[in-house]
Amino acid sequence: MAKILMKGNEAIGEGAVRAGCRYFFGYPITPQSELPHYLAKRMPQVGGVYLQAESEVATINMVYGAAGAGARVMTSSSGPGISLMQEGISYVVGAELPCVIVNMMRGGPGLGNIAPAQSDYFQATRGGGHGDYRMIVLAPASVQEIIDLMQDAFDLADRYRNPVMLAGDGVLGQMMEPVELGEEKEVRIPPRPWAATGRTGGEKHLINSLYIVPEDLEKHNIRLAAKFAAMEKEEQRWEDYLAADAELVLVAFGTAARVCKAVVDRCRREGKAVGLIRPLTLWPFPVKAFQPLLATAAHFLTVEMSMGQMVEDVRLATRECRPVYFYGRCGGMLPVAGDVYAAVQKILAGGEAK
Amino acid sequence: MMQKVFTRPRTLKDVPTHYCPGCTHGIVHRLVAEAIDELNVFDRTIGVAPVGCSVFAYNYFDCDMYEASHGRAPAVATGIKRVLPDRVVFTYQGDGDLAAIGTGEVVHAAARGEKITVIFINNAIYAMTGGQMAPTTLIGQKTTTTPYGRDRELNGSPVKICEMLGVLDGAAYIARVSVHNPANVVKAKKAIKRAFEVQMAGHGFTLVEVLSACPTNWGLAPDEALRWLADNMVPYYPLGEYKAPEEI
Amino acid sequence: MFQAILIAGFGGQGVLSTGQLLAYAGMLEGRHVAWIPSYGPEMRGGTANCGVTIADRPISSPVVSEPTTLIAMNRPSLEKFEPDVQPGGLILVNSSLIDIKARRTDVRVEYIKANELAEEIGNSKVANNIILGALLEITGVVSIDAVEESLRKVLPAHHHDLIPVNRRALELGRELMREKGTEKR
Ligand SMILES: Cc1ncc(C[n+]2csc(CCOP(=O)(O)OP(=O)(O)O)c2C)c(N)n1
Ligand code: SF4
Ligand SMILES: [Mg+2]
């Protein structure tokens, strides 16, 4: 099929529709607005619902209701709105509801700005809401990858009855790139025997996260933890770009990883053994990717659009037996290939990165 | 002797604004500033502006200012006023801000009778974020999230804030004005000043809703936008005082 | 090949769609392409710009911070972005709307009275494509045929009657540069 040019935000929308999502609840915020704009047009064409809520507190609770009612459902926002959703996300996990939440990250804290950033990594991977919970966080790095990942996002949500977050940034959302949409496949949405859709003669279903008796909640927590452990075992994803024989391994995701790839290419042209690990799942963090590298790599350099968040996971994954350096730009600034290259040079020459 | 008949209010800074040509945010800034000047309270006035096209109002008003999160300005203003009861406190909020995400805050500030003044800019759109439907968007109005026009079945009906808040006991002064022509600008100015006076007299919560134009997101030329406001918004959102104390 | 083109002007000048057209043509020629607009409240002042990257290797960052070519459609854009152009790069100035000269001496600068020329060929809306034609001639970034093909793809069918005048605009831009004895770089 022919390629078309598509914006990242629109690709999320089209990918969701193709994955069988028919319900979207949203609230305007830059830099993700083209997604609701797209779905406001597209959903009615496929018999779906696009509804604008009065706030992100409302959207995530609309998602809770729709997911409980058995729908494939999604919402989307950016930093401040995702912060408002945290309570709701915690309830969605507690009630074991599948859904997809998109965060097109922008600069923070507070109102920050609307330029691209990756500084919601902690919030996404550590559970920004309360209670003991985890969720899979996917981090695409191109518009094509967004399209490819949307189906997986919904499927993973269903497999684990847990929310899945798609974490992008302003650049990914705003940029247009060629994509191949492929044939529209028939979507099989797994049955949801647990959904509360009215008894209609059957047994009673309850969508709930309250376990007032501590013994019961502990059991629930242990069961959830078993799910999270299964995700950690089964769902780690990453791209290994020339890392196997690299003396220095860059670690970056999303837009930052694109810049790092250019740095790897330049280094390789110059005969320097530099590679890249690009986590595709921020949680579960791809610890497995690092195990073989501990025998081969001498240094790791984490590059992020923040003051350093994922770098903590890299330190854990390398068990600190190799030095892990950090290079970051933040506040909406992007790392520039030349600067990352300079940091690499310095480390290879025995110095330190910024 | 030459007499100056038109000057910049003390409360406004002498800086160019970022507003689009034909935007009425600038007019309303001026009216608020004039009211503050005339009441001679510049030095003890504190403004709160949350997000929206007027998010940079803190660069234009020369009094002390707070930037608040989306919708929460009335709560921030409550905090300020409870600590500093002798100050004059106002918020400057858009319709997305006040009538959607911030409905809870404004209703309860009014219910508590918080002695603050809310300047409420109703331009029937989320302007800052690119022209999405606001709670105040009219039925049939096309926006980036109502590409087929606002549909009552899907989106419900536009929210009438003055009518809603006017029934609360804590509300002392509630008025709706417009700025689509000079006569209405004069009335708007009176209402805004009145609201501040009622706040200062300690009667309770005050709010002035200003019907405003957003030529950019309405896709109209500035003059067309003012006409559209007069022809479409004014009939749906009747102007006038919805609540006012008999005397101050 | 690596071309990072920044197109900047007022909103409503078709800056964003011109950029998309260029990106589309690059895609049809099998290149890696990326397009990214400026976004957010900076639009309030009425300015618009977009970056287009066309390359024969994967594009790292789509943000064009150091353009190889700047297309300036109004004066503020020229003033703002001129310093960012890479040494040895190119600045195309729409001199119908810009009455100042570029100050850089280490880049090539061409002044094109695009609006007048567009009027002359009978459609004021094709000014951008005259400049685009000049860009194609100087840089060879994509072919005129690919741009025409892209127009066929991006324009709705009922506007296809505009394709010939757009083609003429592209060719006019090309000729203007040819007359100057341009060598392709
Ligand atoms: C929690 C949160 N959600 C969304 C936004 C994005 N946002 C910024 S301004 C705005 C609303 C603008 O509309 P309005 O209040 O009507 O003001 P106007 O721009 O029309 O003057 C929104 C939704 C935000 N800053 N915070
Ligand atoms: S977008 Fe609308 S509300 Fe915002 S500054 Fe422009 S005209 Fe005013
Ligand atoms: Mg508004």
Side-chain angles (χ1 to χ4, degrees), chain B residues 74-75 77-78 89 91 93 98 105-120 161 165-166 168-175 195 198-199 202-208 243-245:
Chain B
T78 297
V89 178
T91 71
Q93 305 176 250
L98 179 141
E105 280 71 11
V106 79
V107 165
H108 288 280
R112 289 190 305 268
E114 292 300 339
K115 298 170 191 72
I116 62 173
T117 296
V118 173
I119 307 296
F120 168 41
I161 286 294
L165 296 183
L168 294 176
D169 290 343
Y173 183 80
I174 305 285
V198 173
Q199 172 189 167
H203 286 295
F205 179 84
T206 65
L207 176 142
V208 180
K243 191 155 186 192

mmCIF file of all heavy atoms in Angstrom, chain B residues 74-75 77-78 89 91 93 98 105-120 161 165-166 168-175 195 198-199 202-208 243-245:
data_model
loop_
_atom_site.group_PDB
_atom_site.id
_atom_site.type_symbol
_atom_site.label_atom_id
_atom_site.label_comp_id
_atom_site.label_asym_id
_atom_site.label_seq_id
_atom_site.Cartn_x
_atom_site.Cartn_y
_atom_site.Cartn_z
ATOM 1 N N PRO B 74 -10.661 30.628 41.354
ATOM 2 C CA PRO B 74 -11.476 31.038 42.506
ATOM 3 C C PRO B 74 -10.986 30.429 43.825
ATOM 4 O O PRO B 74 -11.122 31.051 44.884
ATOM 5 C CB PRO B 74 -12.881 30.507 42.153
ATOM 6 C CG PRO B 74 -12.880 30.403 40.662
ATOM 7 C CD PRO B 74 -11.480 29.990 40.294
ATOM 8 N N ALA B 75 -10.390 29.237 43.742
ATOM 9 C CA ALA B 75 -9.851 28.627 44.961
ATOM 10 C C ALA B 75 -8.580 29.365 45.391
ATOM 11 O O ALA B 75 -8.388 29.651 46.581
ATOM 12 C CB ALA B 75 -9.558 27.151 44.723
ATOM 13 N N ALA B 77 -7.898 32.453 44.697
ATOM 14 C CA ALA B 77 -8.349 33.767 45.182
ATOM 15 C C ALA B 77 -8.912 33.658 46.595
ATOM 16 O O ALA B 77 -8.721 34.545 47.426
ATOM 17 C CB ALA B 77 -9.398 34.341 44.221
ATOM 18 N N THR B 78 -9.594 32.570 46.876
ATOM 19 C CA THR B 78 -10.128 32.340 48.226
ATOM 20 C C THR B 78 -8.992 32.314 49.240
ATOM 21 O O THR B 78 -9.058 32.966 50.290
ATOM 22 C CB THR B 78 -10.908 31.004 48.267
ATOM 23 O OG1 THR B 78 -12.031 31.097 47.391
ATOM 24 C CG2 THR B 78 -11.387 30.689 49.679
ATOM 25 N N VAL B 89 -9.397 41.464 45.484
ATOM 26 C CA VAL B 89 -8.903 40.285 44.769
ATOM 27 C C VAL B 89 -9.816 39.996 43.571
ATOM 28 O O VAL B 89 -11.042 39.969 43.709
ATOM 29 C CB VAL B 89 -8.852 39.054 45.703
ATOM 30 C CG1 VAL B 89 -8.384 37.822 44.936
ATOM 31 C CG2 VAL B 89 -7.951 39.330 46.902
ATOM 32 N N THR B 91 -10.267 37.556 39.816
ATOM 33 C CA THR B 91 -9.789 36.527 38.893
ATOM 34 C C THR B 91 -10.215 36.935 37.493
ATOM 35 O O THR B 91 -11.173 37.701 37.319
ATOM 36 C CB THR B 91 -10.362 35.128 39.191
ATOM 37 O OG1 THR B 91 -11.746 35.110 38.841
ATOM 38 C CG2 THR B 91 -10.195 34.758 40.657
ATOM 39 N N GLN B 93 -10.969 34.887 34.077
ATOM 40 C CA GLN B 93 -11.061 33.509 33.597
ATOM 41 C C GLN B 93 -11.833 33.384 32.285
ATOM 42 O O GLN B 93 -12.817 34.084 32.060
ATOM 43 C CB GLN B 93 -11.784 32.648 34.648
ATOM 44 C CG GLN B 93 -11.150 32.697 36.025
ATOM 45 C CD GLN B 93 -11.957 31.911 37.048
ATOM 46 O OE1 GLN B 93 -12.570 32.496 37.930
ATOM 47 N NE2 GLN B 93 -11.966 30.594 36.897
ATOM 48 N N LEU B 98 -13.629 28.581 33.395
ATOM 49 C CA LEU B 98 -14.584 28.786 34.485
ATOM 50 C C LEU B 98 -15.794 27.863 34.388
ATOM 51 O O LEU B 98 -16.286 27.370 35.390
ATOM 52 C CB LEU B 98 -15.028 30.250 34.506
ATOM 53 C CG LEU B 98 -16.048 30.638 35.584
ATOM 54 C CD1 LEU B 98 -15.720 32.009 36.154
ATOM 55 C CD2 LEU B 98 -17.483 30.606 35.064
ATOM 56 N N GLU B 105 -15.107 25.038 41.395
ATOM 57 C CA GLU B 105 -14.473 26.109 42.163
ATOM 58 C C GLU B 105 -15.310 27.385 42.154
ATOM 59 O O GLU B 105 -15.485 28.030 43.173
ATOM 60 C CB GLU B 105 -13.069 26.412 41.610
ATOM 61 C CG GLU B 105 -11.997 25.453 42.062
ATOM 62 C CD GLU B 105 -12.103 24.070 41.440
ATOM 63 O OE1 GLU B 105 -12.899 23.883 40.487
ATOM 64 O OE2 GLU B 105 -11.415 23.167 41.921
ATOM 65 N N VAL B 106 -15.856 27.749 40.988
ATOM 66 C CA VAL B 106 -16.574 29.029 40.944
ATOM 67 C C VAL B 106 -17.907 28.915 41.676
ATOM 68 O O VAL B 106 -18.332 29.836 42.379
ATOM 69 C CB VAL B 106 -16.743 29.547 39.494
ATOM 70 C CG1 VAL B 106 -17.869 28.854 38.741
ATOM 71 C CG2 VAL B 106 -16.962 31.059 39.498
ATOM 72 N N VAL B 107 -18.570 27.777 41.534
ATOM 73 C CA VAL B 107 -19.856 27.607 42.214
ATOM 74 C C VAL B 107 -19.648 27.695 43.728
ATOM 75 O O VAL B 107 -20.399 28.370 44.437
ATOM 76 C CB VAL B 107 -20.519 26.261 41.825
ATOM 77 C CG1 VAL B 107 -21.658 25.928 42.791
ATOM 78 C CG2 VAL B 107 -21.022 26.306 40.392
ATOM 79 N N HIS B 108 -18.600 27.046 44.215
ATOM 80 C CA HIS B 108 -18.426 27.031 45.670
ATOM 81 C C HIS B 108 -17.833 28.325 46.214
ATOM 82 O O HIS B 108 -18.119 28.692 47.351
ATOM 83 C CB HIS B 108 -17.677 25.776 46.096
ATOM 84 C CG HIS B 108 -18.572 24.582 45.954
ATOM 85 N ND1 HIS B 108 -19.518 24.264 46.904
ATOM 86 C CD2 HIS B 108 -18.742 23.719 44.925
ATOM 87 C CE1 HIS B 108 -20.215 23.219 46.477
ATOM 88 N NE2 HIS B 108 -19.769 22.872 45.277
ATOM 89 N N ALA B 109 -17.063 29.020 45.391
ATOM 90 C CA ALA B 109 -16.612 30.351 45.826
ATOM 91 C C ALA B 109 -17.840 31.251 45.964
ATOM 92 O O ALA B 109 -17.964 32.027 46.921
ATOM 93 C CB ALA B 109 -15.624 30.929 44.830
ATOM 94 N N ALA B 110 -18.760 31.137 44.997
ATOM 95 C CA ALA B 110 -19.987 31.941 45.067
ATOM 96 C C ALA B 110 -20.841 31.509 46.252
ATOM 97 O O ALA B 110 -21.363 32.347 46.998
ATOM 98 C CB ALA B 110 -20.772 31.806 43.761
ATOM 99 N N ALA B 111 -20.976 30.203 46.437
ATOM 100 C CA ALA B 111 -21.810 29.711 47.532
ATOM 101 C C ALA B 111 -21.272 30.163 48.887
ATOM 102 O O ALA B 111 -22.033 30.495 49.790
ATOM 103 C CB ALA B 111 -21.886 28.184 47.481
ATOM 104 N N ARG B 112 -19.957 30.203 49.002
ATOM 105 C CA ARG B 112 -19.366 30.654 50.266
ATOM 106 C C ARG B 112 -19.429 32.174 50.420
ATOM 107 O O ARG B 112 -19.082 32.714 51.455
ATOM 108 C CB ARG B 112 -17.890 30.237 50.342
ATOM 109 C CG ARG B 112 -17.625 28.755 50.537
ATOM 110 C CD ARG B 112 -16.150 28.500 50.839
ATOM 111 N NE ARG B 112 -15.269 29.051 49.842
ATOM 112 C CZ ARG B 112 -14.810 28.391 48.770
ATOM 113 N NH1 ARG B 112 -15.163 27.143 48.573
ATOM 114 N NH2 ARG B 112 -14.015 28.975 47.906
ATOM 115 N N GLY B 113 -19.836 32.830 49.355
ATOM 116 C CA GLY B 113 -19.875 34.295 49.400
ATOM 117 C C GLY B 113 -18.490 34.915 49.474
ATOM 118 O O GLY B 113 -18.296 35.952 50.102
ATOM 119 N N GLU B 114 -17.517 34.261 48.822
ATOM 120 C CA GLU B 114 -16.153 34.811 48.852
ATOM 121 C C GLU B 114 -16.165 36.230 48.311
ATOM 122 O O GLU B 114 -16.738 36.501 47.248
ATOM 123 C CB GLU B 114 -15.213 33.975 47.975
ATOM 124 C CG GLU B 114 -14.915 32.576 48.468
ATOM 125 C CD GLU B 114 -14.246 32.500 49.830
ATOM 126 O OE1 GLU B 114 -13.643 33.500 50.265
ATOM 127 O OE2 GLU B 114 -14.352 31.430 50.458
ATOM 128 N N LYS B 115 -15.502 37.112 48.994
ATOM 129 C CA LYS B 115 -15.520 38.516 48.594
ATOM 130 C C LYS B 115 -14.425 38.750 47.561
ATOM 131 O O LYS B 115 -13.387 39.372 47.838
ATOM 132 C CB LYS B 115 -15.387 39.403 49.820
ATOM 133 C CG LYS B 115 -16.577 39.201 50.771
ATOM 134 C CD LYS B 115 -16.388 39.858 52.103
ATOM 135 C CE LYS B 115 -17.439 39.438 53.108
ATOM 136 N NZ LYS B 115 -17.291 38.038 53.598
ATOM 137 N N ILE B 116 -14.699 38.241 46.398
ATOM 138 C CA ILE B 116 -13.770 38.395 45.274
ATOM 139 C C ILE B 116 -14.578 38.828 44.045
ATOM 140 O O ILE B 116 -15.808 38.750 44.050
ATOM 141 C CB ILE B 116 -13.012 37.086 44.950
ATOM 142 C CG1 ILE B 116 -13.997 35.970 44.537
ATOM 143 C CG2 ILE B 116 -12.181 36.625 46.141
ATOM 144 C CD1 ILE B 116 -13.339 34.681 44.044
ATOM 145 N N THR B 117 -13.860 39.287 43.019
ATOM 146 C CA THR B 117 -14.525 39.652 41.765
ATOM 147 C C THR B 117 -13.995 38.766 40.646
ATOM 148 O O THR B 117 -12.784 38.686 40.441
ATOM 149 C CB THR B 117 -14.262 41.133 41.424
ATOM 150 O OG1 THR B 117 -14.868 41.926 42.447
ATOM 151 C CG2 THR B 117 -14.865 41.502 40.065
ATOM 152 N N VAL B 118 -14.928 38.100 39.989
ATOM 153 C CA VAL B 118 -14.543 37.240 38.881
ATOM 154 C C VAL B 118 -14.888 37.935 37.566
ATOM 155 O O VAL B 118 -16.035 38.329 37.353
ATOM 156 C CB VAL B 118 -15.285 35.881 38.956
ATOM 157 C CG1 VAL B 118 -15.008 35.044 37.706
ATOM 158 C CG2 VAL B 118 -14.880 35.118 40.207
ATOM 159 N N ILE B 119 -13.870 38.115 36.723
ATOM 160 C CA ILE B 119 -14.108 38.625 35.376
ATOM 161 C C ILE B 119 -14.127 37.394 34.475
ATOM 162 O O ILE B 119 -13.130 36.657 34.390
ATOM 163 C CB ILE B 119 -12.992 39.597 34.927
ATOM 164 C CG1 ILE B 119 -12.789 40.705 35.972
ATOM 165 C CG2 ILE B 119 -13.299 40.160 33.538
ATOM 166 C CD1 ILE B 119 -13.966 41.626 36.181
ATOM 167 N N PHE B 120 -15.265 37.157 33.858
ATOM 168 C CA PHE B 120 -15.493 35.898 33.142
ATOM 169 C C PHE B 120 -15.620 36.186 31.640
ATOM 170 O O PHE B 120 -16.593 36.781 31.198
ATOM 171 C CB PHE B 120 -16.764 35.246 33.708
ATOM 172 C CG PHE B 120 -17.284 34.097 32.893
ATOM 173 C CD1 PHE B 120 -16.421 33.164 32.328
ATOM 174 C CD2 PHE B 120 -18.659 33.929 32.717
ATOM 175 C CE1 PHE B 120 -16.907 32.092 31.585
ATOM 176 C CE2 PHE B 120 -19.153 32.866 31.969
ATOM 177 C CZ PHE B 120 -18.270 31.954 31.395
ATOM 178 N N ILE B 161 -23.900 30.840 32.862
ATOM 179 C CA ILE B 161 -23.288 30.980 34.185
ATOM 180 C C ILE B 161 -24.015 32.004 35.064
ATOM 181 O O ILE B 161 -24.283 31.753 36.233
ATOM 182 C CB ILE B 161 -21.787 31.325 34.030
ATOM 183 C CG1 ILE B 161 -21.027 30.082 33.572
ATOM 184 C CG2 ILE B 161 -21.206 31.885 35.317
ATOM 185 C CD1 ILE B 161 -20.968 28.942 34.569
ATOM 186 N N LEU B 165 -25.448 31.147 38.726
ATOM 187 C CA LEU B 165 -24.866 31.664 39.961
ATOM 188 C C LEU B 165 -25.800 32.659 40.645
ATOM 189 O O LEU B 165 -25.742 32.853 41.862
ATOM 190 C CB LEU B 165 -23.499 32.312 39.688
ATOM 191 C CG LEU B 165 -22.420 31.362 39.173
ATOM 192 C CD1 LEU B 165 -21.087 32.097 39.019
ATOM 193 C CD2 LEU B 165 -22.237 30.161 40.104
ATOM 194 N N GLY B 166 -26.645 33.285 39.850
ATOM 195 C CA GLY B 166 -27.553 34.300 40.387
ATOM 196 C C GLY B 166 -28.472 33.754 41.477
ATOM 197 O O GLY B 166 -28.950 34.503 42.323
ATOM 198 N N LEU B 168 -27.637 31.679 43.823
ATOM 199 C CA LEU B 168 -26.932 31.324 45.067
ATOM 200 C C LEU B 168 -26.967 32.488 46.051
ATOM 201 O O LEU B 168 -26.729 33.636 45.688
ATOM 202 C CB LEU B 168 -25.475 30.949 44.762
ATOM 203 C CG LEU B 168 -25.269 29.688 43.927
ATOM 204 C CD1 LEU B 168 -23.794 29.479 43.613
ATOM 205 C CD2 LEU B 168 -25.840 28.467 44.640
ATOM 206 N N ASP B 169 -27.220 32.177 47.308
ATOM 207 C CA ASP B 169 -27.303 33.231 48.322
ATOM 208 C C ASP B 169 -25.993 33.980 48.505
ATOM 209 O O ASP B 169 -25.982 35.157 48.824
ATOM 210 C CB ASP B 169 -27.723 32.622 49.672
ATOM 211 C CG ASP B 169 -29.173 32.171 49.634
ATOM 212 O OD1 ASP B 169 -29.909 32.617 48.713
ATOM 213 O OD2 ASP B 169 -29.565 31.359 50.494
ATOM 214 N N GLY B 170 -24.893 33.258 48.321
ATOM 215 C CA GLY B 170 -23.586 33.897 48.549
ATOM 216 C C GLY B 170 -23.222 34.912 47.475
ATOM 217 O O GLY B 170 -22.315 35.729 47.657
ATOM 218 N N ALA B 171 -23.898 34.848 46.323
ATOM 219 C CA ALA B 171 -23.580 35.771 45.236
ATOM 220 C C ALA B 171 -24.186 37.142 45.535
ATOM 221 O O ALA B 171 -25.362 37.243 45.855
ATOM 222 C CB ALA B 171 -24.118 35.236 43.921
ATOM 223 N N ALA B 172 -23.376 38.201 45.443
ATOM 224 C CA ALA B 172 -23.876 39.541 45.738
ATOM 225 C C ALA B 172 -24.099 40.366 44.477
ATOM 226 O O ALA B 172 -25.041 41.140 44.380
ATOM 227 C CB ALA B 172 -22.904 40.271 46.664
ATOM 228 N N TYR B 173 -23.213 40.184 43.513
ATOM 229 C CA TYR B 173 -23.365 40.946 42.273
ATOM 230 C C TYR B 173 -23.012 40.056 41.097
ATOM 231 O O TYR B 173 -21.894 39.543 41.007
ATOM 232 C CB TYR B 173 -22.473 42.192 42.271
ATOM 233 C CG TYR B 173 -22.671 43.049 41.032
ATOM 234 C CD1 TYR B 173 -23.751 43.922 40.942
ATOM 235 C CD2 TYR B 173 -21.796 42.952 39.949
ATOM 236 C CE1 TYR B 173 -23.962 44.690 39.800
ATOM 237 C CE2 TYR B 173 -21.991 43.717 38.800
ATOM 238 C CZ TYR B 173 -23.077 44.580 38.734
ATOM 239 O OH TYR B 173 -23.280 45.330 37.604
ATOM 240 N N ILE B 174 -23.982 39.845 40.197
ATOM 241 C CA ILE B 174 -23.776 38.995 39.023
ATOM 242 C C ILE B 174 -24.341 39.743 37.814
ATOM 243 O O ILE B 174 -25.517 40.104 37.809
ATOM 244 C CB ILE B 174 -24.543 37.655 39.159
ATOM 245 C CG1 ILE B 174 -24.178 36.915 40.454
ATOM 246 C CG2 ILE B 174 -24.320 36.782 37.915
ATOM 247 C CD1 ILE B 174 -22.833 36.232 40.455
ATOM 248 N N ALA B 175 -23.499 39.992 36.817
ATOM 249 C CA ALA B 175 -23.988 40.721 35.639
ATOM 250 C C ALA B 175 -23.363 40.169 34.371
ATOM 251 O O ALA B 175 -22.246 39.650 34.390
ATOM 252 C CB ALA B 175 -23.642 42.201 35.763
ATOM 253 N N ALA B 195 -18.889 45.755 40.430
ATOM 254 C CA ALA B 195 -18.522 44.483 41.049
ATOM 255 C C ALA B 195 -17.415 44.700 42.081
ATOM 256 O O ALA B 195 -17.479 44.176 43.201
ATOM 257 C CB ALA B 195 -18.077 43.495 39.983
ATOM 258 N N VAL B 198 -18.851 46.342 45.155
ATOM 259 C CA VAL B 198 -19.630 45.413 45.985
ATOM 260 C C VAL B 198 -18.684 44.509 46.782
ATOM 261 O O VAL B 198 -18.898 44.222 47.956
ATOM 262 C CB VAL B 198 -20.606 44.589 45.112
ATOM 263 C CG1 VAL B 198 -21.303 43.509 45.943
ATOM 264 C CG2 VAL B 198 -21.646 45.504 44.464
ATOM 265 N N GLN B 199 -17.610 44.061 46.113
ATOM 266 C CA GLN B 199 -16.596 43.265 46.835
ATOM 267 C C GLN B 199 -16.052 44.064 48.021
ATOM 268 O O GLN B 199 -15.968 43.569 49.143
ATOM 269 C CB GLN B 199 -15.437 42.887 45.898
ATOM 270 C CG GLN B 199 -14.287 42.228 46.647
ATOM 271 C CD GLN B 199 -13.003 42.022 45.835
ATOM 272 O OE1 GLN B 199 -11.980 41.719 46.418
ATOM 273 N NE2 GLN B 199 -13.055 42.153 44.518
ATOM 274 N N GLY B 202 -17.975 44.364 51.025
ATOM 275 C CA GLY B 202 -18.082 43.138 51.817
ATOM 276 C C GLY B 202 -19.399 42.399 51.675
ATOM 277 O O GLY B 202 -19.789 41.622 52.530
ATOM 278 N N HIS B 203 -20.092 42.631 50.546
ATOM 279 C CA HIS B 203 -21.399 41.987 50.402
ATOM 280 C C HIS B 203 -21.314 40.524 50.019
ATOM 281 O O HIS B 203 -22.247 39.774 50.241
ATOM 282 C CB HIS B 203 -22.227 42.724 49.338
ATOM 283 C CG HIS B 203 -22.748 44.039 49.822
ATOM 284 N ND1 HIS B 203 -23.658 44.139 50.835
ATOM 285 C CD2 HIS B 203 -22.467 45.310 49.436
ATOM 286 C CE1 HIS B 203 -23.928 45.415 51.053
ATOM 287 N NE2 HIS B 203 -23.210 46.154 50.215
ATOM 288 N N GLY B 204 -20.224 40.152 49.364
ATOM 289 C CA GLY B 204 -20.123 38.741 48.962
ATOM 290 C C GLY B 204 -19.497 38.603 47.590
ATOM 291 O O GLY B 204 -18.791 39.486 47.102
ATOM 292 N N PHE B 205 -19.810 37.483 46.968
ATOM 293 C CA PHE B 205 -19.201 37.093 45.700
ATOM 294 C C PHE B 205 -19.700 37.966 44.545
ATOM 295 O O PHE B 205 -20.892 38.261 44.459
ATOM 296 C CB PHE B 205 -19.554 35.630 45.432
ATOM 297 C CG PHE B 205 -19.010 35.086 44.134
ATOM 298 C CD1 PHE B 205 -17.715 34.595 44.052
ATOM 299 C CD2 PHE B 205 -19.814 35.041 42.999
ATOM 300 C CE1 PHE B 205 -17.222 34.076 42.856
ATOM 301 C CE2 PHE B 205 -19.335 34.522 41.801
ATOM 302 C CZ PHE B 205 -18.033 34.043 41.725
ATOM 303 N N THR B 206 -18.792 38.347 43.650
ATOM 304 C CA THR B 206 -19.194 39.164 42.502
ATOM 305 C C THR B 206 -18.596 38.595 41.221
ATOM 306 O O THR B 206 -17.489 38.061 41.230
ATOM 307 C CB THR B 206 -18.726 40.633 42.664
ATOM 308 O OG1 THR B 206 -17.292 40.665 42.661
ATOM 309 C CG2 THR B 206 -19.220 41.238 43.965
ATOM 310 N N LEU B 207 -19.382 38.684 40.156
ATOM 311 C CA LEU B 207 -18.918 38.157 38.861
ATOM 312 C C LEU B 207 -19.503 38.985 37.731
ATOM 313 O O LEU B 207 -20.686 39.330 37.740
ATOM 314 C CB LEU B 207 -19.351 36.693 38.705
ATOM 315 C CG LEU B 207 -19.034 35.997 37.371
ATOM 316 C CD1 LEU B 207 -18.634 34.538 37.602
ATOM 317 C CD2 LEU B 207 -20.218 36.059 36.402
ATOM 318 N N VAL B 208 -18.657 39.310 36.752
ATOM 319 C CA VAL B 208 -19.131 39.970 35.541
ATOM 320 C C VAL B 208 -18.756 39.095 34.355
ATOM 321 O O VAL B 208 -17.571 38.828 34.131
ATOM 322 C CB VAL B 208 -18.534 41.381 35.370
ATOM 323 C CG1 VAL B 208 -19.059 42.028 34.082
ATOM 324 C CG2 VAL B 208 -18.855 42.249 36.580
ATOM 325 N N LYS B 243 -28.012 39.761 39.573
ATOM 326 C CA LYS B 243 -28.143 39.943 41.011
ATOM 327 C C LYS B 243 -27.359 41.191 41.387
ATOM 328 O O LYS B 243 -26.244 41.382 40.891
ATOM 329 C CB LYS B 243 -27.595 38.734 41.750
ATOM 330 C CG LYS B 243 -27.933 38.738 43.211
ATOM 331 C CD LYS B 243 -27.948 37.342 43.780
ATOM 332 C CE LYS B 243 -28.445 37.374 45.214
ATOM 333 N NZ LYS B 243 -28.215 36.090 45.874
ATOM 334 N N ALA B 244 -27.952 42.032 42.224
ATOM 335 C CA ALA B 244 -27.228 43.232 42.650
ATOM 336 C C ALA B 244 -27.792 43.678 43.991
ATOM 337 O O ALA B 244 -28.999 43.571 44.218
ATOM 338 C CB ALA B 244 -27.403 44.356 41.622
ATOM 339 N N PRO B 245 -26.937 44.125 44.907
ATOM 340 C CA PRO B 245 -27.440 44.622 46.195
ATOM 341 C C PRO B 245 -28.187 45.936 45.963
ATOM 342 O O PRO B 245 -27.857 46.683 45.044
ATOM 343 C CB PRO B 245 -26.169 44.848 47.017
ATOM 344 C CG PRO B 245 -25.066 44.997 46.012
ATOM 345 C CD PRO B 245 -25.485 44.271 44.778
#
